[in-house]
mmCIF file of all heavy atoms in Angstrom:
data_model
loop_
_atom_site.group_PDB
_atom_site.id
_atom_site.type_symbol
_atom_site.label_atom_id
_atom_site.label_comp_id
_atom_site.label_asym_id
_atom_site.label_seq_id
_atom_site.Cartn_x
_atom_site.Cartn_y
_atom_site.Cartn_z
ATOM 1 N N ASP Z 128 2.323 -15.479 -25.414
ATOM 2 C CA ASP Z 128 2.575 -16.579 -26.407
ATOM 3 C C ASP Z 128 3.176 -17.850 -25.806
ATOM 4 O O ASP Z 128 2.768 -18.895 -26.274
ATOM 5 C CB ASP Z 128 3.413 -16.151 -27.469
ATOM 6 C CG ASP Z 128 2.953 -14.955 -28.358
ATOM 7 O OD1 ASP Z 128 1.588 -14.685 -28.312
ATOM 8 O OD2 ASP Z 128 3.631 -14.361 -29.050
ATOM 9 N N HIS Z 129 3.726 -17.787 -24.650
ATOM 10 C CA HIS Z 129 4.463 -18.809 -24.027
ATOM 11 C C HIS Z 129 4.107 -19.098 -22.648
ATOM 12 O O HIS Z 129 4.848 -19.449 -21.814
ATOM 13 C CB HIS Z 129 6.021 -18.685 -24.072
ATOM 14 C CG HIS Z 129 6.618 -18.609 -25.546
ATOM 15 N ND1 HIS Z 129 6.759 -17.421 -26.241
ATOM 16 C CD2 HIS Z 129 6.995 -19.567 -26.410
ATOM 17 C CE1 HIS Z 129 7.101 -17.642 -27.401
ATOM 18 N NE2 HIS Z 129 7.366 -18.911 -27.458
ATOM 19 N N GLY Z 130 2.825 -18.877 -22.368
ATOM 20 C CA GLY Z 130 2.389 -19.127 -21.087
ATOM 21 C C GLY Z 130 3.150 -18.333 -19.947
ATOM 22 O O GLY Z 130 3.436 -18.880 -18.952
ATOM 23 N N HIS Z 131 3.404 -17.114 -20.163
ATOM 24 C CA HIS Z 131 4.053 -16.195 -19.268
ATOM 25 C C HIS Z 131 5.496 -16.692 -18.986
ATOM 26 O O HIS Z 131 6.106 -16.405 -18.006
ATOM 27 C CB HIS Z 131 3.410 -16.095 -17.824
ATOM 28 C CG HIS Z 131 2.049 -15.415 -18.093
ATOM 29 N ND1 HIS Z 131 1.731 -14.167 -18.447
ATOM 30 C CD2 HIS Z 131 0.751 -16.042 -18.111
ATOM 31 C CE1 HIS Z 131 0.384 -13.981 -18.561
ATOM 32 N NE2 HIS Z 131 -0.089 -15.098 -18.355
ATOM 33 N N SER Z 132 6.043 -17.406 -19.898
ATOM 34 C CA SER Z 132 7.450 -17.812 -19.782
ATOM 35 C C SER Z 132 8.401 -16.597 -20.083
ATOM 36 O O SER Z 132 8.013 -15.764 -20.878
ATOM 37 C CB SER Z 132 7.713 -18.921 -20.931
ATOM 38 O OG SER Z 132 9.082 -18.989 -20.919
ATOM 39 N N ARG Z 133 9.552 -16.543 -19.488
ATOM 40 C CA ARG Z 133 10.494 -15.511 -19.543
ATOM 41 C C ARG Z 133 11.637 -15.829 -20.393
ATOM 42 O O ARG Z 133 12.687 -15.273 -20.239
ATOM 43 C CB ARG Z 133 10.890 -14.952 -18.124
ATOM 44 C CG ARG Z 133 9.809 -14.230 -17.417
ATOM 45 C CD ARG Z 133 10.288 -13.898 -16.059
ATOM 46 N NE ARG Z 133 11.429 -13.012 -16.052
ATOM 47 C CZ ARG Z 133 11.540 -11.823 -15.609
ATOM 48 N NH1 ARG Z 133 10.501 -11.189 -15.021
ATOM 49 N NH2 ARG Z 133 12.684 -11.128 -15.682
ATOM 50 N N GLN Z 134 11.480 -16.885 -21.220
ATOM 51 C CA GLN Z 134 12.431 -17.177 -22.139
ATOM 52 C C GLN Z 134 12.542 -16.171 -23.293
ATOM 53 O O GLN Z 134 11.554 -15.716 -23.753
ATOM 54 C CB GLN Z 134 12.170 -18.608 -22.669
ATOM 55 C CG GLN Z 134 12.478 -19.728 -21.686
ATOM 56 C CD GLN Z 134 12.235 -21.173 -22.291
ATOM 57 O OE1 GLN Z 134 11.725 -21.189 -23.370
ATOM 58 N NE2 GLN Z 134 12.777 -22.039 -21.577
ATOM 59 N N MET Z 135 13.647 -16.185 -23.953
ATOM 60 C CA MET Z 135 13.939 -15.264 -25.154
ATOM 61 C C MET Z 135 13.757 -16.093 -26.265
ATOM 62 O O MET Z 135 13.973 -17.322 -26.263
ATOM 63 C CB MET Z 135 15.399 -14.751 -24.896
ATOM 64 C CG MET Z 135 15.560 -13.833 -23.753
ATOM 65 S SD MET Z 135 17.163 -13.299 -23.460
ATOM 66 C CE MET Z 135 17.850 -13.396 -25.201
ATOM 67 N N PRO Z 136 13.639 -15.331 -27.406
ATOM 68 C CA PRO Z 136 13.486 -15.993 -28.805
ATOM 69 C C PRO Z 136 14.968 -16.680 -29.046
ATOM 70 O O PRO Z 136 15.957 -16.109 -28.593
ATOM 71 C CB PRO Z 136 13.213 -14.931 -29.769
ATOM 72 C CG PRO Z 136 12.759 -13.764 -28.957
ATOM 73 C CD PRO Z 136 13.400 -13.865 -27.537
ATOM 74 N N ALA Z 137 14.985 -17.796 -29.678
ATOM 75 C CA ALA Z 137 16.224 -18.472 -30.114
ATOM 76 C C ALA Z 137 17.137 -17.559 -30.767
ATOM 77 O O ALA Z 137 18.398 -17.690 -30.675
ATOM 78 C CB ALA Z 137 15.930 -19.719 -30.847
ATOM 79 N N SER Z 138 16.658 -16.643 -31.575
ATOM 80 C CA SER Z 138 17.552 -15.841 -32.336
ATOM 81 C C SER Z 138 18.371 -14.859 -31.571
ATOM 82 O O SER Z 138 19.437 -14.376 -31.841
ATOM 83 C CB SER Z 138 16.722 -15.000 -33.412
ATOM 84 O OG SER Z 138 15.801 -14.197 -32.543
ATOM 85 N N ARG Z 139 17.940 -14.587 -30.330
ATOM 86 C CA ARG Z 139 18.626 -13.594 -29.524
ATOM 87 C C ARG Z 139 19.437 -14.389 -28.306
ATOM 88 O O ARG Z 139 20.199 -13.692 -27.675
ATOM 89 C CB ARG Z 139 17.676 -12.722 -28.799
ATOM 90 C CG ARG Z 139 17.203 -11.564 -29.749
ATOM 91 C CD ARG Z 139 16.612 -10.574 -29.008
ATOM 92 N NE ARG Z 139 17.552 -9.814 -28.282
ATOM 93 C CZ ARG Z 139 17.242 -9.015 -27.190
ATOM 94 N NH1 ARG Z 139 16.002 -8.785 -26.954
ATOM 95 N NH2 ARG Z 139 18.258 -8.454 -26.568
ATOM 96 N N GLN Z 140 19.229 -15.722 -28.229
ATOM 97 C CA GLN Z 140 19.896 -16.379 -27.093
ATOM 98 C C GLN Z 140 21.390 -16.384 -27.115
ATOM 99 O O GLN Z 140 22.053 -16.464 -26.203
ATOM 100 C CB GLN Z 140 19.288 -17.772 -26.911
ATOM 101 C CG GLN Z 140 18.017 -17.685 -26.411
ATOM 102 C CD GLN Z 140 17.364 -19.140 -26.054
ATOM 103 O OE1 GLN Z 140 18.101 -20.099 -26.561
ATOM 104 N NE2 GLN Z 140 16.276 -19.132 -25.420
ATOM 105 N N PHE Z 141 21.921 -16.450 -28.378
ATOM 106 C CA PHE Z 141 23.366 -16.580 -28.485
ATOM 107 C C PHE Z 141 24.138 -15.202 -28.860
ATOM 108 O O PHE Z 141 25.305 -15.355 -29.195
ATOM 109 C CB PHE Z 141 23.682 -17.698 -29.525
ATOM 110 C CG PHE Z 141 23.075 -19.048 -29.106
ATOM 111 C CD1 PHE Z 141 21.856 -19.464 -29.638
ATOM 112 C CD2 PHE Z 141 23.541 -19.685 -27.865
ATOM 113 C CE1 PHE Z 141 21.387 -20.686 -29.316
ATOM 114 C CE2 PHE Z 141 23.099 -20.902 -27.535
ATOM 115 C CZ PHE Z 141 21.994 -21.407 -28.201
ATOM 116 N N THR Z 142 23.437 -14.204 -28.808
ATOM 117 C CA THR Z 142 24.177 -12.942 -29.175
ATOM 118 C C THR Z 142 24.646 -12.281 -27.839
ATOM 119 O O THR Z 142 24.187 -12.782 -26.743
ATOM 120 C CB THR Z 142 23.197 -11.896 -29.916
ATOM 121 O OG1 THR Z 142 22.123 -11.628 -29.004
ATOM 122 C CG2 THR Z 142 22.670 -12.483 -31.113
ATOM 123 N N LEU Z 143 25.414 -11.341 -27.869
ATOM 124 C CA LEU Z 143 25.903 -10.619 -26.713
ATOM 125 C C LEU Z 143 24.696 -9.948 -26.030
ATOM 126 O O LEU Z 143 24.554 -9.973 -24.793
ATOM 127 C CB LEU Z 143 26.938 -9.572 -26.974
ATOM 128 C CG LEU Z 143 27.659 -8.800 -25.859
ATOM 129 C CD1 LEU Z 143 28.278 -9.881 -24.962
ATOM 130 C CD2 LEU Z 143 28.742 -7.931 -26.398
ATOM 131 N N ALA Z 144 23.877 -9.380 -26.864
ATOM 132 C CA ALA Z 144 22.658 -8.737 -26.264
ATOM 133 C C ALA Z 144 21.761 -9.698 -25.592
ATOM 134 O O ALA Z 144 21.088 -9.548 -24.577
ATOM 135 C CB ALA Z 144 21.852 -7.960 -27.381
ATOM 136 N N GLY Z 145 21.650 -10.934 -26.119
ATOM 137 C CA GLY Z 145 20.927 -12.137 -25.632
ATOM 138 C C GLY Z 145 21.460 -12.472 -24.256
ATOM 139 O O GLY Z 145 20.753 -12.738 -23.327
ATOM 140 N N LEU Z 146 22.829 -12.640 -24.190
ATOM 141 C CA LEU Z 146 23.479 -12.976 -22.907
ATOM 142 C C LEU Z 146 23.146 -11.903 -21.905
ATOM 143 O O LEU Z 146 22.743 -12.268 -20.741
ATOM 144 C CB LEU Z 146 24.997 -12.944 -23.117
ATOM 145 C CG LEU Z 146 25.824 -13.330 -21.886
ATOM 146 C CD1 LEU Z 146 25.410 -14.618 -21.269
ATOM 147 C CD2 LEU Z 146 27.365 -13.262 -22.200
#
Side-chain angles (χ1 to χ4, degrees):
D128 294 343
H129 295 89
H131 299 288
S132 168
R133 288 178 56 121
Q134 289 185 341
M135 294 174 24
S138 62
R139 285 199 62 201
Q140 285 185 350
F141 299 106
T142 64
L143 188 56
L146 175 63

